[in-house]
């Protein structure tokens, strides 16, 4: 990870931005706090875009930043056609940097005195209907793809967590998968799968190349990416005549959660299985 982090800093060093040294210190602080590299990279991208706006306005010192600069950044992202949830996510990353600068007495606290909120529609997570689930599974003939879909359905894992799973993480006897570090909050947990998922996994193991690092891999043994998994899933949806319903890989996680709740599992137990930090997330 250190080599990848150094590449982020090297890319930053090549740019002429106001407050570049403060941004470098901020990224180093986040690295020392053991934040995910993807999170640090996203923060760097967001803040770099913002500092370019500041630069275009002729400001070469961070102490010259005003609230109007934040508003200009939000408008720029909205003009790009980004979803409200994406704009809010990027604004949150920018505000975290602003709070860091306020703590370091680089900028005035007045910039964040008045809250800046991006309203996002609160739609409920989408789960797959039971009949649609049966239709989907009935058309998946490929043993690898069937194992992927069934494990997502039966464990409630995030797709990234499943793609990072290694053979030693799976206990076929106990029908259990150990997730050493959750994709979002870095909290480890164990998830359990059913007999049909176990049968699909065993069928895949019979064809799987044992020298591969990860349980699931793509062409020429390369690590299976989210994009490749998504394409595979979309093809399965089309084959089942379900593409128009807008199901995603993440819907399989919601389907698992809904099934367990309908079966009477307490909300707190479900929270543990899904790896949520707050029970309110699970409740929603």
């Amino acid at each position: 990870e250190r080599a990848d982090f150094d590449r982020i800093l090297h890319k930053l060093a090549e740019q002429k931005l106001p407050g570049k040294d403060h941004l470098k210190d901020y990224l180093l602080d986040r690295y020392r706090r053991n934040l995910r590299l993807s999170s640090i990279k996203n923060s760097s991208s967001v803040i770099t875009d913002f500092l370019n706006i500041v630069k275009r306005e002729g400001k070469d010192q961070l102490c010259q930043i005003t609230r109007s600069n934040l508003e200009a950044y939000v408008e720029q992202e909205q003009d790009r056609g980004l979803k409200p949830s994406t704009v809010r996510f990027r604004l949150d990353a920018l505000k975290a940097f602003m709070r860091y600068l306020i703590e370091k007495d680089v900028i005035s606290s007045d910039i964040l005195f008045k809250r800046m909120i991006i309203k996002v529609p609160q739609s409920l997570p989408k789960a797959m209907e039971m009949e649609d689930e049966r239709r989907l599974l009935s058309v998946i003939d490929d043993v690898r793809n069937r194992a992927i879909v069934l494990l997502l359905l039966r464990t409630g894992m995030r797709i990234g967590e499943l793609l990072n799973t290694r053979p030693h993480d799976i206990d076929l006897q106990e029908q259990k998968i150990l997730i050493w570090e959750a994709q979002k909050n870095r909290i480890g947990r164990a998830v359990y799968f059913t007999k049909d998922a176990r049968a699909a996994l065993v069928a895949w193991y019979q064809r799987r190349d044992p020298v591969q690092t990860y349980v699931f891999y793509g062409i020429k043994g390369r690590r299976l990416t989210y994009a490749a998994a998504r394409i595979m899933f979309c093809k399965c949806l089309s084959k089942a005549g379900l593409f128009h319903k807008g199901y995603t890989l993440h819907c399989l996680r919601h389907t698992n959660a809904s099934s367990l709740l309908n079966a009477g599992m307490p909300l707190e137990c479900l929270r543990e299985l899904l790896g949520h930090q707050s029970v309110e997330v699970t409740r929603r």
Side-chain angles (χ1 to χ4, degrees):
E1 279 200 356
R2 180 67 203 198
D4 292 332
F5 178 69
D6 286 340
R7 278 193 285 272
I8 295 174
L9 295 184
H10 180 71
K11 184 177 179 181
L12 174 62
E14 293 177 336
Q15 302 183 64
K16 295 181 179 180
L17 296 170
K20 183 169 62 176
D21 290 339
H22 289 294
L23 175 53
K24 178 183 176 181
D25 292 340
Y26 175 68
L27 298 178
L28 281 167
D29 177 69
R30 292 174 71 81
Y31 181 78
R32 285 191 291 267
R33 286 165 50 203
N34 200 32
L35 271 69
R36 283 192 173 278
L37 191 64
S38 59
S39 176
I40 296 173
K41 187 175 182 179
N42 287 334
S43 294
S44 178
S45 174
V46 168
I47 298 166
T48 298
D49 287 348
F50 171 73
L51 293 180
N52 273 312
I53 290 178
V54 174
K55 179 182 176 182
R56 285 198 297 269
E57 292 195 3
K59 298 177 180 179
D60 55 6
Q61 300 291 329
L62 293 187
C63 60
Q64 298 173 300
I65 292 175
T66 63
R67 187 176 176 84
S68 64
N69 295 130
L70 294 181
E71 293 169 347
Y73 175 76
V74 171
E75 290 176 6
Q76 171 186 281
E77 300 303 274
Q78 290 172 332
D79 289 344
R80 288 173 56 198
L82 299 180
K83 293 180 180 179
S85 57
T86 303
V87 177
R88 185 174 71 174
F89 172 79
R90 293 175 70 84
L91 178 60
D92 287 344
L94 182 56
K95 287 195 290 188
F97 179 56
M98 294 294 106
R99 286 190 289 269
Y100 172 83
L101 295 177
I102 290 170
E103 290 175 3
K104 299 294 182 180
D105 292 324
V106 177
I107 63 174
S108 170
S109 59
D110 292 342
I111 292 177
L112 297 182
F113 180 74
K114 186 178 179 181
R115 295 178 68 192
M116 185 179 293
I117 302 174
I118 307 296
K119 290 188 177 181
V120 178
Q122 292 295 315
S123 57
L124 289 175
K126 187 174 185 178
M128 186 172 285
E129 297 175 18
M130 191 175 296
E131 178 57 33
D132 290 346
E133 180 184 326
R134 284 195 288 264
R135 285 176 61 184
L136 175 65
L137 292 175
S138 69
V139 303
I140 305 178
D141 301 321
D142 183 272
V143 290
R144 186 204 66 175
N145 297 344
R146 186 173 182 83
I148 290 174
V149 171
L150 269 170
L151 282 172
L152 291 174
L153 269 171
R154 305 305 186 225
T155 64
M157 295 174 73
R158 300 178 179 93
I159 178 60
E161 293 168 343
L162 183 61
L163 297 182
N164 284 330
T165 300
R166 302 168 188 251
H168 64 261
D169 298 330
I170 299 180
D171 187 328
L172 282 174
Q173 187 71 27
E174 295 189 17
Q175 296 176 198
K176 176 175 69 175
I177 300 178
L178 295 178
I179 302 171
W180 299 100
E181 186 178 286
Q183 191 178 18
K184 285 193 173 182
N185 54 29
R186 311 196 83 162
I187 297 175
R189 70 187 194 280
V191 295
Y192 300 85
F193 49 89
T194 50
K195 289 182 179 179
D196 59 347
R198 183 184 186 280
L201 189 56
V202 169
W204 166 236
Y205 272 6
Q206 291 172 352
R207 298 192 184 184
R208 180 184 174 274
D209 183 352
V211 304
Q212 297 299 325
T213 302
Y214 297 95
V215 174
F216 298 106
Y217 53 88
I219 299 173
K220 296 182 180 179
R222 294 172 185 161
R223 186 176 182 181
L224 190 64
T225 64
Y226 169 78
R230 180 181 176 276
I231 291 171
M232 174 275 292
F233 185 65
C234 288
K235 287 180 179 178
C236 293
L237 288 174
S238 297
K239 190 175 179 180
L242 299 171
F243 187 79
H244 66 285
K245 292 201 172 184
Y247 291 129
T248 65
L249 283 166
H250 204 66
C251 290
L252 303 181
R253 177 169 161 85
H254 297 313
T255 304
N256 171 265
S258 298
S259 299
L260 292 175
L261 279 176
N262 291 337
M265 175 173 282
L267 205 61
E268 185 59 37
C269 295
L270 182 59
R271 182 188 74 84
E272 294 286 341
L273 285 176
L274 294 177
H276 290 154
Q277 285 186 310
S278 167
V279 74
E280 291 305 314
V281 177
T282 313
R283 192 188 311 280
R284 178 169 171 265

